[in-house]
Amino acid sequence: RENNLKSINKRGMTYLMTEMADGKPINYLNQYVSGISIPEYKEIITFDFPKETEDPAKNDMDLLCKKLEEGNTIAVLSEEELKNIDFKTVKKKPLNEDKEDSQNKNSGNTDHENKDSGDKDLENSNLSSEDTPSGEYLYLTDKNAFFIKPDLNVGMGCRKGKTREELLQELKESFAENGLDLRFIKSISSAEIKKDEKGLKELALSLNVPLNFYTSEELNETIKDNGGKENFKISEFVGQTAGVPSVSEASALRSGGKLILRKRSANGITVSIAREEN
């Protein structure tokens, strides 16, 4: 919480908390987020990735996956790493003791029916256990804790009465078109004139992110500070009704970061995205 990190697999975090309580050594991997301070824990090891191969990126991923297969690792992951990690690996030994496996068989339940399946917190990843034969895979989510640092501020505008489902659909399409991960959303914002929109409130609540509303004065100030109207995709109609010619772009910028998605308009909904520097 102090580092503004977000846990994306509570199952692994619970396991590691038990290991730490038992005094077991824990690996800490973080190669992209700066300024992270971790609580003092004498057994934690910081693992630095060497840059010795012709393809450092591939080397980093290979080493990261190797440490994750060993388990007992806290990893702060980037969007790129999340895309490239296969969260299931061929099992080398049973996760459960023979006694537990026997109990599961006697109860008539399969492995993935008894477990949380390890992927419920990683809802946007490709990890899935539903079509996996029982006992075939070891999930990296079981013995590692994964964290991310949300850095995407979303600005949204919409016609009156847009539902959460409609807003979410446009948000998902905006992210998919730009290869972005919804889990990295830090905030959603809009113009103050939209503060009573039920759909926006429900959207932010469902994504568990803060919802900010800015006054027309604040948004106009942001436009001015970022080069004026000529640097924005403006709407004269919106300017007349909301008092500011750009809602989504100005709102995203006001929340922090640099625009990585200019105003995308579809179905009466506009979406803009700004990324903060880590």
Side-chain angles (χ1 to χ4, degrees):
R1 187 180 297 112
E2 292 174 358
N3 290 290
N4 297 313
L5 297 179
K6 175 182 178 181
S7 167
I8 57 172
N9 70 318
K10 296 176 183 176
R11 180 184 182 85
M13 186 165 64
T14 300
Y15 171 82
L16 283 190
M17 287 169 64
T18 302
E19 291 290 280
M20 291 173 75
D22 289 341
K24 302 291 180 62
I26 307 295
N27 293 316
Y28 168 70
L29 308 182
N30 171 26
Q31 62 179 132
Y32 88 105
V33 177
S34 61
I36 297 294
S37 60
I38 57 176
E40 289 187 10
Y41 181 69
K42 63 179 181 180
E43 302 277 356
I44 282 185
I45 303 169
T46 299
F47 183 78
D48 295 319
F49 291 101
K51 304 284 186 179
E52 298 176 351
T53 67
E54 294 182 2
D55 186 353
K58 182 179 185 302
N59 187 47
D60 289 352
M61 284 302 303
D62 289 345
L63 288 170
L64 172 59
C65 290
K66 180 179 179 181
K67 297 303 290 186
L68 294 179
E69 287 178 16
E70 293 174 3
N72 281 37
T73 296
I74 296 172
V76 182
L77 303 176
S78 67
E79 285 179 90
E80 193 63 29
E81 288 167 335
L82 278 176
K83 291 177 186 176
N84 289 304
I85 293 176
D86 183 359
F87 283 94
K88 59 187 180 183
T89 57
V90 177
K91 182 187 289 189
K92 297 177 181 177
K93 59 182 178 180
L95 283 177
N96 301 320
E97 297 295 333
D98 292 339
K99 181 179 179 181
E100 292 178 59
D101 288 337
S102 176
Q103 289 175 342
N104 289 337
K105 290 178 182 178
N106 291 336
S107 67
N109 294 326
T110 64
D111 183 57
H112 71 262
E113 288 174 334
N114 281 288
K115 294 170 60 177
D116 289 335
S117 75
D119 61 331
K120 301 221 172 156
D121 296 307
L122 289 157
E123 60 183 35
N124 294 315
S125 75
N126 293 322
L127 175 62
S128 175
S129 63
E130 296 305 314
D131 56 357
T132 299
S134 175
E136 185 176 343
Y137 292 102
L138 163 68
Y139 287 88
L140 299 184
T141 51
D142 287 339
K143 294 188 176 182
N144 299 293
F146 298 115
F147 291 86
I148 60 175
K149 187 171 185 178
D151 57 2
L152 300 176
N153 290 311
V154 176
M156 299 190 76
C158 65
R159 291 177 188 161
K160 187 175 181 180
K162 288 296 180 180
T163 65
R164 181 194 74 88
E165 291 74 19
E166 291 175 306
L167 293 165
L168 180 59
Q169 181 61 34
E170 296 307 321
L171 189 61
K172 284 183 175 180
E173 290 185 10
S174 298
F175 270 63
E177 289 171 4
N178 292 275
L180 301 173
D181 191 322
L182 286 173
R183 289 170 294 184
F184 283 81
I185 294 178
K186 183 178 181 179
S187 72
I188 294 176
S189 59
S190 190
E192 188 177 43
I193 195 173
K194 296 297 179 182
K195 66 180 180 180
D196 293 324
E197 286 292 332
K198 183 180 178 182
L200 281 173
K201 294 178 181 179
E202 291 181 347
L203 175 66
L205 185 63
S206 67
L207 294 173
N208 193 28
V209 297
L211 177 61
N212 306 313
F213 293 105
Y214 299 114
T215 65
S216 58
E217 290 78 15
E218 289 174 319
L219 295 179
N220 280 315
E221 181 182 14
T222 298
I223 292 174
K224 181 179 178 181
D225 291 343
N226 285 273
K229 294 181 181 180
E230 57 269 26
N231 289 330
F232 290 77
K233 292 184 176 181
I234 66 172
S235 167
E236 295 299 338
F237 174 76
V238 172
Q240 293 172 5
T241 57
V244 57
S246 170
V247 171
S248 66
E249 288 184 340
S251 295
L253 283 171
R254 186 79 188 187
S255 293
K258 296 181 179 180
L259 281 180
I260 59 172
L261 173 64
R262 303 297 300 274
K263 182 175 73 174
R264 175 189 184 276
S265 301
N267 302 314
I269 297 170
T270 58
V271 178
S272 298
I273 305 171
R275 187 194 295 278
E276 295 182 2
E277 291 185 7
N278 286 312

